[in-house]
Amino acid sequence: MDNVIMKLKSLNISMGIGETSRITGATTTQIRYWEKKGLIHPIRHEEGGNKRYSLKTLTKIIIIKNFIDDGYTLAKAGEMIKTHYQDVDTFRTIVSQRLVGLSHTDNVTRVNLGEIDNDPGFDLVIETRGQDVKVLKRARQD
Amino acid sequence: MDNVIMKLKSLNISMGIGETSRITGATTTQIRYWEKKGLIHPIRHEEGGNKRYSLKTLTKIIIIKNFIDDGYTLAKAGEMIKTHYQDVDTFRTIVSQRLVGLSHTDNVTRVNLGEIDNDPGFDLVIETRGQDVKVLKRARQD
DNA sequence: TTGTCAATATCACAAAATGTGGTAAAGTAG
DNA sequence: CTACTTTACCACATTTTGTGATATTGACAA
């Protein structure tokens, strides 16, 4: 299942002008005009095919549309986006580095994150039962 | 420029069957067949409009395709996906129910999951430093 | 082997979405 | 006001998708 994650990370998402317009709020006329003016650069997957707009271009369109309302700078927005992705990466790392066991019994799911580093002999186990979550230490049983 | 981030985070990206096929590697025939079998559920933004596939559906398609490529039947793939989503839900629940703190200092990110239920007075803290992950107990400091 | 079913491919036609060039209208700066 | 920028709108061609029908392929049981 590892390559699912790899694939999702490398998704080269792009979309047509309709979806682009729906998401960004810019009209198709605007998008085409901004392209003519050299501000954005759609791509084509195949010769003769329709234009497609990448996520990067999407972002640019949103920013262009909002530029008049000068709140944060673009750099500031980049900062905050970075933090967001840092948080997501943290959880991804925790799972990939520490997940020892994952079991479902009845309506309980147990996540084992392995030995507590400064309390040897004990594993850290998280039990979820519906919305109820318990963080527990459990004596090692090798 | 705050709404740029809000918009990016809440991007309700969806795509047509062509882009979906290009990204996932599944043929349009497969995608339509899997829909007919009830494994995936495209949406329509507007009555009479074309079908659109969300990122969540994309993920599902990629997973199904992997199982199929591995030789599983479609029915079996459906079974296994259910378990997969149960696992994902588990982590989502853990985060939403137990996440107390999340801090970045230098190159260390600390995740605090709150008190260890059967070791009162101690919090469970997970420290990540790059790929290095430590699961630690830490005396409560109220 | 034959028959059956799951899974995918292919085809034809209708409908939806997009590309493009042209023109009009609205807004803006001089 | 005039010139220029920006956006809307329209028509027609092309591309993309939806859908139902039919064919093909492979696995498996009788």
Side-chain angles (χ1 to χ4, degrees):
Chain A
M1 193 68 59
D2 245 353
N3 43 4
V4 173
I5 298 178
M6 295 310 293
K7 230 167 202 164
L8 275 177
K9 279 176 106 170
S10 65
L11 280 187
N12 228 337
I13 293 178
S14 66
M15 52 202 74
I17 198 169
E19 177 76 1
T20 303
S21 167
R22 193 184 64 79
I23 288 185
T24 65
T27 67
T28 58
T29 301
Q30 285 179 309
I31 294 171
R32 289 184 173 127
Y33 181 70
W34 296 345
E35 178 197 348
K36 193 165 73 172
K37 285 301 174 182
L39 291 182
I40 54 180
H41 308 280
I43 56 181
R44 283 185 215 266
H45 289 321
E46 297 163 37
E47 191 68 20
N50 289 344
K51 292 172 183 167
R52 312 219 50 102
Y53 300 80
S54 69
L55 281 189
K56 194 175 167 189
T57 303
L58 263 251
T59 309
K60 215 165 178 181
I61 290 175
I62 293 176
I63 291 172
I64 290 174
K65 187 166 167 35
N66 288 343
F67 226 91
I68 302 290
D69 332 332
D70 67 326
Y72 292 104
T73 67
L74 183 58
K76 184 66 181 170
E79 280 294 312
M80 299 171 78
I81 288 178
K82 225 191 229 168
T83 301
H84 170 72
Y85 279 108
Q86 192 175 347
D87 293 348
V88 171
D89 275 347
T90 294
F91 284 102
R92 201 194 305 285
T93 301
I94 290 173
V95 169
S96 73
Q97 296 293 90
R98 293 298 304 241
L99 185 61
V100 174
L102 182 60
S103 66
H104 308 283
T105 64
D106 299 327
N107 47 3
V108 181
T109 297
R110 275 189 195 76
V111 177
N112 190 340
L113 293 185
E115 194 175 55
I116 300 179
D117 293 70
N118 58 352
D119 195 358
F122 288 94
D123 273 2
L124 180 80
V125 177
I126 304 178
E127 286 186 3
T128 69
R129 198 184 315 258
Q131 287 302 105
D132 180 46
V133 180
K134 277 195 167 31
V135 174
L136 304 166
K137 53 187 278 191
R138 188 175 65 184
R140 209 93 204 263
Q141 41 211 244
D142 302 280
Chain B
M1 197 63 65
D2 237 354
N3 43 4
V4 173
I5 297 180
M6 293 311 291
K7 234 167 201 165
L8 277 177
K9 281 176 99 169
S10 67
L11 278 187
N12 231 335
I13 293 178
S14 66
M15 52 202 77
I17 198 169
E19 176 77 359
T20 303
S21 169
R22 193 183 66 79
I23 287 186
T24 64
T27 66
T28 58
T29 301
Q30 285 180 309
I31 294 171
R32 288 182 173 128
Y33 181 70
W34 298 346
E35 178 196 349
K36 193 166 71 174
K37 287 299 176 181
L39 291 184
I40 53 179
H41 308 279
I43 55 178
R44 285 185 212 266
H45 289 322
E46 297 162 37
E47 190 70 22
N50 289 344
K51 292 171 182 167
R52 312 217 49 103
Y53 301 80
S54 68
L55 282 189
K56 192 176 171 188
T57 303
L58 262 250
T59 310
K60 219 164 177 181
I61 291 175
I62 292 177
I63 295 173
I64 292 174
K65 178 162 170 40
N66 275 341
F67 281 136
I68 295 291
D69 289 348
D70 284 350
Y72 291 102
T73 70
L74 194 55
K76 185 68 184 168
E79 281 296 314
M80 298 173 78
I81 281 181
K82 242 185 218 161
T83 302
H84 169 75
Y85 277 105
Q86 193 177 346
D87 294 347
V88 171
D89 274 349
T90 295
F91 284 102
R92 201 194 306 286
T93 301
I94 290 173
V95 169
S96 74
Q97 295 293 91
R98 294 298 302 245
L99 184 61
V100 174
L102 182 59
S103 66
H104 307 283
T105 63
D106 299 327
N107 47 2
V108 180
T109 297
R110 274 189 196 75
V111 176
N112 190 340
L113 292 186
E115 194 174 53
I116 300 179
D117 293 69
N118 59 352
D119 194 358
F122 288 94
D123 274 2
L124 179 80
V125 177
I126 303 178
E127 287 186 0
T128 69
R129 198 183 315 256
Q131 285 305 103
D132 180 47
V133 180
K134 277 193 168 29
V135 174
L136 304 165
K137 52 186 280 191
R138 189 176 63 185
R140 209 92 205 264
Q141 42 212 241
D142 302 279

